Amino acid sequence: MKLDTRAMRHLAPDDWRVLAAVEQGSKNHELVPVTLIERIARLKGGASGVHRCISNLAKVGLIAKMKEAKYDGYRLTYGGLDYLALHTHAQKKAVYSVGSRVGVGKESDIMIVADDKGDQLILKIHRLGRISFRTVKTNRDYLKNKPSASWMYLSRLAAIKEFAFMTALRDEGFPVPEPIAQSRHTIVMSLVDAPPLRQISSVPDPAALYAELIALLLRFAKHGLIHGDYNEFNILIREDVVEGETDSEGKEKVTLTPIVIDFPQMISMEHANAEMYFDRDVNCIKLFFERRFHFVSTTPGPFYKDAKKTLGKDGAKRLDAALEASGFTKKMAKDLEAAIRAQEAEKEQNPSAYESEEAEDDEAEDDEEDEDDENDSNDSDDDEDAQGKKPIGNHIPVVIEVPMEKLSISNET
């Protein structure tokens, strides 16, 4: 389910209208009738023009027919949703060109993109259900009695929620990427020049970094939030050079700044299971520092009951209320949370499915890199990842120089 943009430059304005019509019809139809697509698209060429566009879109996998359907109709594919999101970003000049995929999450793809000024950014594509619909198609209890719900709907909710929280956190001065734009199931954000904590083998002062991460977790709590997945995968460590200062060896002094990412699972301190998620976040940091850096804090906790007493203190704004204010309703939150929790349970029951998916994605990515002669920039990154970790001490840029000629997105409507 990789982003393939090769056909994008060849789509005509009528193709985009028909693709958008299929998306609109999908709100009330699992399979959108061709007659409805014609009514929504309203092409000057009439039915024949719509059928020609349908043929073009189906040929490149942006829409698809369902087997044994009772009527002539089409459904939107994830590829079609990707294209519509990119088209919107292009029209708003948030994305001009697309490079290679640089990361694969449990339920997302991370792409390098560039805006119309050539500045590199990150495009995050939410893909809830990436594993579920491939391995355990019957394990969808949380979608029963919700015929309008789908993985695409849930992926949209994840993007809407993450963008809202990222914006609120950024406004309050939290160390998070800068949110730039959101469309459907995608988010465009600033590129953070930093490796994830999981790739770091050593730090000059583990106790200081540990204390900073715990303080950040407690700061979230003070503003009414629990990250819900606060671990070495979702914490980037940026090295900032302190101008005019040197260390004991005469080298430039470097400070480590944690940057937190990934917010779809973030919950309120008032959540029914808040204590469990808070304790899990704390334990994830404790266990990682003990395993990787052989550091064990002599201070017990922090504990949920103590953190909750700080809620809203010293004028801290309650950010757990900001999400609902952004238009993310309680029903949306309930649907998304149920999906995320179900996928967590599924991963525990079927860890091999997730491992095989990551292996397949890595292999496919390697094949594409060979095809496009992009080995130079990606091989060094792959070598680091194969080793698993690297030391912190000197600033090591991790910006990946990716050729951007793969796609120049048309701004035609």
Side-chain angles (χ1 to χ4, degrees):
M1 202 184 301
K2 289 172 57 181
L3 176 63
D4 183 355
T5 58
R6 287 175 294 184
M8 196 162 188
R9 68 178 71 211
H10 304 299
L11 295 186
D14 282 357
D15 293 325
W16 288 112
R17 288 183 68 88
V18 171
L19 187 59
V22 176
E23 179 190 34
Q24 187 175 338
S26 298
K27 294 178 181 178
N28 299 309
H29 297 79
E30 185 176 7
L31 189 66
V32 187
V34 172
T35 53
L36 179 59
I37 297 173
E38 293 172 1
R39 289 203 303 271
I40 297 173
R42 295 166 61 183
L43 296 188
K44 291 181 180 179
S48 62
V50 170
H51 282 271
R52 184 173 61 254
C53 293
I54 285 176
S55 176
N56 294 339
L57 297 171
K59 196 176 297 182
V60 292
L62 305 185
I63 60 175
K65 275 192 170 183
M66 292 181 67
K67 293 180 180 179
E68 301 177 1
K70 296 180 180 179
Y71 57 88
D72 189 20
Y74 290 82
R75 63 175 178 83
L76 185 70
T77 67
Y78 251 125
L81 193 64
D82 291 346
Y83 271 43
L84 286 167
L86 278 174
H87 192 59
T88 298
H89 288 312
Q91 289 177 315
K92 295 179 179 179
K93 297 186 177 180
V95 175
Y96 177 76
S97 56
V98 177
S100 294
R101 185 173 64 178
V102 293
V104 182
K106 295 189 296 293
E107 300 298 338
S108 63
D109 287 330
I110 311 298
M111 309 289 300
I112 285 276
V113 298
D115 61 17
D116 60 335
K117 298 177 183 177
D119 295 329
Q120 289 188 344
L121 304 168
I122 286 294
L123 173 72
K124 181 174 182 178
I125 308 173
H126 286 274
R127 300 201 189 282
L128 265 72
R130 181 204 297 273
I131 306 300
S132 296
F133 59 68
R134 289 182 51 174
T135 58
V136 195
K137 294 182 180 179
T138 58
N139 187 20
R140 296 185 183 180
D141 292 342
Y142 52 93
L143 289 180
K144 289 179 180 176
N145 304 318
K146 297 185 180 70
S148 63
S150 70
W151 291 116
M152 290 186 192
Y153 161 71
L154 294 168
S155 295
R156 287 171 184 257
L157 295 188
I160 292 169
K161 180 179 179 180
E162 180 161 34
F163 188 81
F165 267 136
M166 203 184 303
T167 301
L169 290 166
R170 181 84 178 188
D171 290 345
E172 288 299 309
F174 279 87
V176 301
E178 178 186 359
I180 295 170
Q182 182 263 321
S183 175
R184 297 169 175 86
H185 62 318
T186 67
I187 296 174
V188 179
M189 67 187 83
S190 60
L191 172 65
V192 178
D193 180 10
L197 182 59
R198 73 180 180 88
Q199 288 185 0
I200 296 171
S201 60
S202 63
V203 293
D205 189 351
L209 181 59
Y210 172 84
E212 189 167 359
L213 292 177
I214 293 297
L216 186 53
L217 186 149
L218 291 173
R219 186 180 167 198
F220 280 131
K222 193 174 185 179
H223 285 266
L225 298 174
I226 298 170
H227 186 278
D229 202 11
Y230 197 66
N231 57 44
E232 65 272 21
F233 294 90
N234 294 326
I235 299 170
L236 310 180
I237 303 298
R238 189 181 67 207
E239 298 177 86
D240 296 323
V241 176
V242 181
E243 292 185 9
E245 295 188 28
T246 57
D247 58 20
S248 58
E249 298 179 358
K251 297 180 181 179
E252 290 181 320
K253 188 174 181 180
V254 174
T255 61
L256 305 184
T257 303
I259 309 293
V260 185
I261 60 173
D262 199 31
F263 307 104
Q265 69 292 318
M266 199 164 227
I267 61 170
S268 168
M269 283 287 285
E270 304 286 0
H271 189 277
N273 298 318
E275 184 170 5
M276 184 271 287
Y277 289 117
F278 181 87
D279 290 344
R280 188 175 72 176
D281 281 355
V282 171
N283 288 332
C284 279
I285 298 301
K286 284 180 176 290
L287 290 172
F288 177 79
F289 270 73
E290 182 178 354
R291 183 177 68 250
R292 177 63 57 81
F293 305 130
H294 308 292
F295 170 82
V296 179
S297 174
T298 57
T299 305
F303 301 106
Y304 170 79
K305 62 180 181 180
D306 297 324
K308 192 172 182 181
K309 292 176 183 177
T310 69
L311 196 58
K313 291 290 182 67
D314 303 322
K317 182 180 179 181
R318 287 288 297 269
L319 297 182
D320 51 345
L323 186 63
E324 194 167 337
S326 71
F328 196 86
T329 66
K330 290 182 178 179
K331 180 185 181 301
M332 290 178 177
K334 186 177 180 181
D335 285 347
L336 179 59
E337 184 183 343
I340 290 173
R341 303 312 171 209
Q343 296 223 149
E344 287 179 352
E346 185 175 307
K347 183 177 180 181
E348 291 178 2
Q349 295 172 5
N350 301 277
S352 59
Y354 282 77
E355 290 169 3
S356 62
E357 169 72 12
E358 290 175 1
E360 288 174 16
D361 284 336
D362 290 342
E363 184 177 348
E365 182 74 10
D366 290 341
D367 290 342
E368 182 184 349
E369 287 165 5
D370 291 340
E371 250 180 54
D372 297 335
D373 294 323
E374 294 173 7
N375 290 320
D376 290 343
S377 63
N378 290 300
D379 281 352
S380 59
D381 185 64
D382 290 343
D383 289 343
E384 282 181 359
D385 195 47
Q387 294 168 2
K389 25 187 159 28
K390 58 183 178 182
I392 280 285
N394 293 314
H395 182 65
I396 304 173
V398 294
V399 176
I400 301 173
E401 297 296 336
V402 178
M404 290 295 175
E405 68 273 14
K406 279 190 173 183
L407 170 67
S408 292
I409 300 174
S410 168
N411 285 320
E412 295 179 356
T413 56

